[in-house]
PDB file of all heavy atoms in Angstrom:
ATOM      1  N   ASN A 143       8.534  40.177   4.841  1.00 97.00           N
ATOM      2  CA  ASN A 143       7.233  39.812   5.419  1.00 97.00           C
ATOM      3  C   ASN A 143       7.110  38.328   5.715  1.00 97.00           C
ATOM      4  O   ASN A 143       6.050  37.860   6.141  1.00 97.00           O
ATOM      5  CB  ASN A 143       6.107  40.226   4.464  1.00 97.00           C
ATOM      6  CG  ASN A 143       6.008  41.724   4.290  1.00 97.00           C
ATOM      7  OD1 ASN A 143       6.482  42.489   5.119  1.00 97.00           O
ATOM      8  ND2 ASN A 143       5.395  42.158   3.189  1.00 97.00           N
ATOM      9  N   LYS A 144       8.179  37.566   5.438  1.00 97.00           N
ATOM     10  CA  LYS A 144       8.192  36.104   5.623  1.00 97.00           C
ATOM     11  C   LYS A 144       7.064  35.436   4.831  1.00 97.00           C
ATOM     12  O   LYS A 144       6.408  34.502   5.304  1.00 97.00           O
ATOM     13  CB  LYS A 144       8.114  35.749   7.111  1.00 97.00           C
ATOM     14  CG  LYS A 144       9.274  36.300   7.927  1.00 97.00           C
ATOM     15  CD  LYS A 144       9.252  35.790   9.353  1.00 97.00           C
ATOM     16  CE  LYS A 144      10.372  36.417  10.173  1.00 97.00           C
ATOM     17  NZ  LYS A 144      11.721  36.231   9.595  1.00 97.00           N
ATOM     18  N   ASP A 145       6.869  35.927   3.625  1.00 98.00           N
ATOM     19  CA  ASP A 145       5.823  35.419   2.743  1.00 98.00           C
ATOM     20  C   ASP A 145       6.463  34.510   1.694  1.00 98.00           C
ATOM     21  O   ASP A 145       6.909  34.958   0.643  1.00 98.00           O
ATOM     22  CB  ASP A 145       5.104  36.591   2.064  1.00 98.00           C
ATOM     23  CG  ASP A 145       3.921  36.149   1.200  1.00 98.00           C
ATOM     24  OD1 ASP A 145       3.741  34.929   0.977  1.00 98.00           O
ATOM     25  OD2 ASP A 145       3.177  37.032   0.742  1.00 98.00           O
ATOM     26  N   LEU A 146       6.521  33.231   1.988  1.00 98.00           N
ATOM     27  CA  LEU A 146       7.178  32.271   1.095  1.00 98.00           C
ATOM     28  C   LEU A 146       6.509  32.224  -0.267  1.00 98.00           C
ATOM     29  O   LEU A 146       7.175  32.278  -1.314  1.00 98.00           O
ATOM     30  CB  LEU A 146       7.173  30.877   1.718  1.00 98.00           C
ATOM     31  CG  LEU A 146       7.744  29.747   0.846  1.00 98.00           C
ATOM     32  CD1 LEU A 146       9.226  29.974   0.565  1.00 98.00           C
ATOM     33  CD2 LEU A 146       7.506  28.396   1.497  1.00 98.00           C
ATOM     34  N   LEU A 147       5.191  32.136  -0.290  1.00 98.00           N
ATOM     35  CA  LEU A 147       4.476  32.037  -1.563  1.00 98.00           C
ATOM     36  C   LEU A 147       4.651  33.308  -2.394  1.00 98.00           C
ATOM     37  O   LEU A 147       4.858  33.245  -3.613  1.00 98.00           O
ATOM     38  CB  LEU A 147       2.991  31.756  -1.317  1.00 98.00           C
ATOM     39  CG  LEU A 147       2.669  30.449  -0.586  1.00 98.00           C
ATOM     40  CD1 LEU A 147       1.158  30.281  -0.442  1.00 98.00           C
ATOM     41  CD2 LEU A 147       3.278  29.246  -1.294  1.00 98.00           C
ATOM     42  N   GLY A 148       4.574  34.454  -1.742  1.00 98.00           N
ATOM     43  CA  GLY A 148       4.799  35.711  -2.452  1.00 98.00           C
ATOM     44  C   GLY A 148       6.207  35.786  -3.008  1.00 98.00           C
ATOM     45  O   GLY A 148       6.434  36.281  -4.119  1.00 98.00           O
ATOM     46  N   GLY A 149       7.173  35.277  -2.252  1.00 98.00           N
ATOM     47  CA  GLY A 149       8.547  35.266  -2.724  1.00 98.00           C
ATOM     48  C   GLY A 149       8.741  34.369  -3.927  1.00 98.00           C
ATOM     49  O   GLY A 149       9.476  34.709  -4.864  1.00 98.00           O
ATOM     50  N   LEU A 150       8.075  33.221  -3.931  1.00 98.00           N
ATOM     51  CA  LEU A 150       8.172  32.312  -5.080  1.00 98.00           C
ATOM     52  C   LEU A 150       7.526  32.925  -6.321  1.00 98.00           C
ATOM     53  O   LEU A 150       8.018  32.748  -7.438  1.00 98.00           O
ATOM     54  CB  LEU A 150       7.516  30.970  -4.752  1.00 98.00           C
ATOM     55  CG  LEU A 150       8.248  30.104  -3.720  1.00 98.00           C
ATOM     56  CD1 LEU A 150       7.427  28.857  -3.394  1.00 98.00           C
ATOM     57  CD2 LEU A 150       9.630  29.714  -4.210  1.00 98.00           C
ATOM     58  N   VAL A 151       6.424  33.639  -6.116  1.00 98.00           N
ATOM     59  CA  VAL A 151       5.784  34.319  -7.246  1.00 98.00           C
ATOM     60  C   VAL A 151       6.739  35.348  -7.847  1.00 98.00           C
ATOM     61  O   VAL A 151       6.970  35.380  -9.062  1.00 98.00           O
ATOM     62  CB  VAL A 151       4.463  34.997  -6.818  1.00 98.00           C
ATOM     63  CG1 VAL A 151       3.968  35.952  -7.904  1.00 98.00           C
ATOM     64  CG2 VAL A 151       3.396  33.950  -6.525  1.00 98.00           C
ATOM     65  N   THR A 152       7.315  36.189  -7.004  1.00 98.00           N
ATOM     66  CA  THR A 152       8.138  37.284  -7.523  1.00 98.00           C
ATOM     67  C   THR A 152       9.464  36.798  -8.087  1.00 98.00           C
ATOM     68  O   THR A 152       9.880  37.232  -9.169  1.00 98.00           O
ATOM     69  CB  THR A 152       8.392  38.335  -6.429  1.00 98.00           C
ATOM     70  OG1 THR A 152       8.924  37.690  -5.260  1.00 98.00           O
ATOM     71  CG2 THR A 152       7.110  39.058  -6.068  1.00 98.00           C
ATOM     72  N   LEU A 153      10.148  35.902  -7.386  1.00 98.00           N
ATOM     73  CA  LEU A 153      11.467  35.453  -7.842  1.00 98.00           C
ATOM     74  C   LEU A 153      11.370  34.423  -8.963  1.00 98.00           C
ATOM     75  O   LEU A 153      11.920  34.621 -10.054  1.00 98.00           O
ATOM     76  CB  LEU A 153      12.266  34.862  -6.671  1.00 98.00           C
ATOM     77  CG  LEU A 153      13.609  34.218  -7.040  1.00 98.00           C
ATOM     78  CD1 LEU A 153      14.537  35.209  -7.730  1.00 98.00           C
ATOM     79  CD2 LEU A 153      14.287  33.635  -5.795  1.00 98.00           C
ATOM     80  N   ASN A 154      10.686  33.326  -8.707  1.00 97.00           N
ATOM     81  CA  ASN A 154      10.726  32.205  -9.655  1.00 97.00           C
ATOM     82  C   ASN A 154       9.749  32.354 -10.818  1.00 97.00           C
ATOM     83  O   ASN A 154      10.075  31.965 -11.945  1.00 97.00           O
ATOM     84  CB  ASN A 154      10.439  30.893  -8.920  1.00 97.00           C
ATOM     85  CG  ASN A 154      11.549  30.499  -7.957  1.00 97.00           C
ATOM     86  OD1 ASN A 154      12.276  31.352  -7.481  1.00 97.00           O
ATOM     87  ND2 ASN A 154      11.670  29.223  -7.651  1.00 97.00           N
ATOM     88  N   ILE A 155       8.572  32.890 -10.558  1.00 97.00           N
ATOM     89  CA  ILE A 155       7.562  32.988 -11.620  1.00 97.00           C
ATOM     90  C   ILE A 155       7.718  34.274 -12.426  1.00 97.00           C
ATOM     91  O   ILE A 155       7.644  34.248 -13.657  1.00 97.00           O
ATOM     92  CB  ILE A 155       6.139  32.905 -11.028  1.00 97.00           C
ATOM     93  CG1 ILE A 155       5.962  31.591 -10.248  1.00 97.00           C
ATOM     94  CG2 ILE A 155       5.095  33.012 -12.148  1.00 97.00           C
ATOM     95  CD1 ILE A 155       6.200  30.323 -11.077  1.00 97.00           C
ATOM     96  N   ILE A 156       7.959  35.401 -11.753  1.00 97.00           N
ATOM     97  CA  ILE A 156       8.058  36.683 -12.468  1.00 97.00           C
ATOM     98  C   ILE A 156       9.473  36.911 -12.996  1.00 97.00           C
ATOM     99  O   ILE A 156       9.705  36.950 -14.203  1.00 97.00           O
ATOM    100  CB  ILE A 156       7.641  37.854 -11.559  1.00 97.00           C
ATOM    101  CG1 ILE A 156       6.220  37.650 -11.004  1.00 97.00           C
ATOM    102  CG2 ILE A 156       7.731  39.171 -12.340  1.00 97.00           C
ATOM    103  CD1 ILE A 156       5.124  37.667 -12.039  1.00 97.00           C
ATOM    104  N   LEU A 157      10.440  37.053 -12.094  1.00 96.00           N
ATOM    105  CA  LEU A 157      11.800  37.408 -12.531  1.00 96.00           C
ATOM    106  C   LEU A 157      12.386  36.341 -13.452  1.00 96.00           C
ATOM    107  O   LEU A 157      12.908  36.650 -14.520  1.00 96.00           O
ATOM    108  CB  LEU A 157      12.706  37.608 -11.318  1.00 96.00           C
ATOM    109  CG  LEU A 157      14.158  37.994 -11.637  1.00 96.00           C
ATOM    110  CD1 LEU A 157      14.215  39.313 -12.384  1.00 96.00           C
ATOM    111  CD2 LEU A 157      14.991  38.066 -10.358  1.00 96.00           C
ATOM    112  N   GLU A 158      12.307  35.084 -13.042  1.00 96.00           N
ATOM    113  CA  GLU A 158      12.923  34.021 -13.840  1.00 96.00           C
ATOM    114  C   GLU A 158      12.002  33.524 -14.950  1.00 96.00           C
ATOM    115  O   GLU A 158      12.439  33.340 -16.094  1.00 96.00           O
ATOM    116  CB  GLU A 158      13.337  32.860 -12.930  1.00 96.00           C
ATOM    117  CG  GLU A 158      14.396  33.271 -11.919  1.00 96.00           C
ATOM    118  CD  GLU A 158      14.964  32.101 -11.132  1.00 96.00           C
ATOM    119  OE1 GLU A 158      14.283  31.070 -10.991  1.00 96.00           O
ATOM    120  OE2 GLU A 158      16.090  32.219 -10.645  1.00 96.00           O
ATOM    121  N   GLY A 159      10.752  33.296 -14.625  1.00 95.00           N
ATOM    122  CA  GLY A 159       9.836  32.728 -15.619  1.00 95.00           C
ATOM    123  C   GLY A 159       9.574  33.646 -16.799  1.00 95.00           C
ATOM    124  O   GLY A 159       9.529  33.203 -17.944  1.00 95.00           O
ATOM    125  N   MET A 160       9.417  34.939 -16.545  1.00 94.00           N
ATOM    126  CA  MET A 160       9.137  35.861 -17.639  1.00 94.00           C
ATOM    127  C   MET A 160      10.344  36.006 -18.568  1.00 94.00           C
ATOM    128  O   MET A 160      10.193  36.357 -19.735  1.00 94.00           O
ATOM    129  CB  MET A 160       8.725  37.233 -17.097  1.00 94.00           C
ATOM    130  CG  MET A 160       7.337  37.250 -16.483  1.00 94.00           C
ATOM    131  SD  MET A 160       6.789  38.919 -16.001  1.00 94.00           S
ATOM    132  CE  MET A 160       6.402  39.624 -17.610  1.00 94.00           C
ATOM    133  N   ALA A 161      11.533  35.727 -18.047  1.00 94.00           N
ATOM    134  CA  ALA A 161      12.752  35.887 -18.852  1.00 94.00           C
ATOM    135  C   ALA A 161      13.046  34.693 -19.751  1.00 94.00           C
ATOM    136  O   ALA A 161      14.001  34.745 -20.539  1.00 94.00           O
ATOM    137  CB  ALA A 161      13.946  36.137 -17.941  1.00 94.00           C
ATOM    138  N   PHE A 162      12.248  33.634 -19.668  1.00 93.00           N
ATOM    139  CA  PHE A 162      12.532  32.420 -20.455  1.00 93.00           C
ATOM    140  C   PHE A 162      12.839  32.715 -21.930  1.00 93.00           C
ATOM    141  O   PHE A 162      13.848  32.249 -22.456  1.00 93.00           O
ATOM    142  CB  PHE A 162      11.366  31.443 -20.344  1.00 93.00           C
ATOM    143  CG  PHE A 162      11.502  30.457 -19.212  1.00 93.00           C
ATOM    144  CD1 PHE A 162      12.417  30.657 -18.198  1.00 93.00           C
ATOM    145  CD2 PHE A 162      10.714  29.320 -19.157  1.00 93.00           C
ATOM    146  CE1 PHE A 162      12.547  29.746 -17.149  1.00 93.00           C
ATOM    147  CE2 PHE A 162      10.845  28.402 -18.130  1.00 93.00           C
ATOM    148  CZ  PHE A 162      11.763  28.623 -17.119  1.00 93.00           C
ATOM    149  N   PRO A 163      11.984  33.466 -22.642  1.00 93.00           N
ATOM    150  CA  PRO A 163      12.269  33.699 -24.069  1.00 93.00           C
ATOM    151  C   PRO A 163      13.587  34.437 -24.314  1.00 93.00           C
ATOM    152  O   PRO A 163      14.212  34.253 -25.353  1.00 93.00           O
ATOM    153  CB  PRO A 163      11.076  34.542 -24.535  1.00 93.00           C
ATOM    154  CG  PRO A 163       9.980  34.215 -23.573  1.00 93.00           C
ATOM    155  CD  PRO A 163      10.684  34.047 -22.254  1.00 93.00           C
TER     156      PRO A 163
END
Side-chain angles (χ1 to χ4, degrees):
N143 295 339
K144 300 187 183 305
D145 184 351
L146 176 64
L147 299 182
L150 291 175
V151 167
T152 53
L153 174 58
N154 292 25
I155 302 302
I156 304 295
L157 180 61
E158 297 188 335
M160 288 186 75
F162 269 15

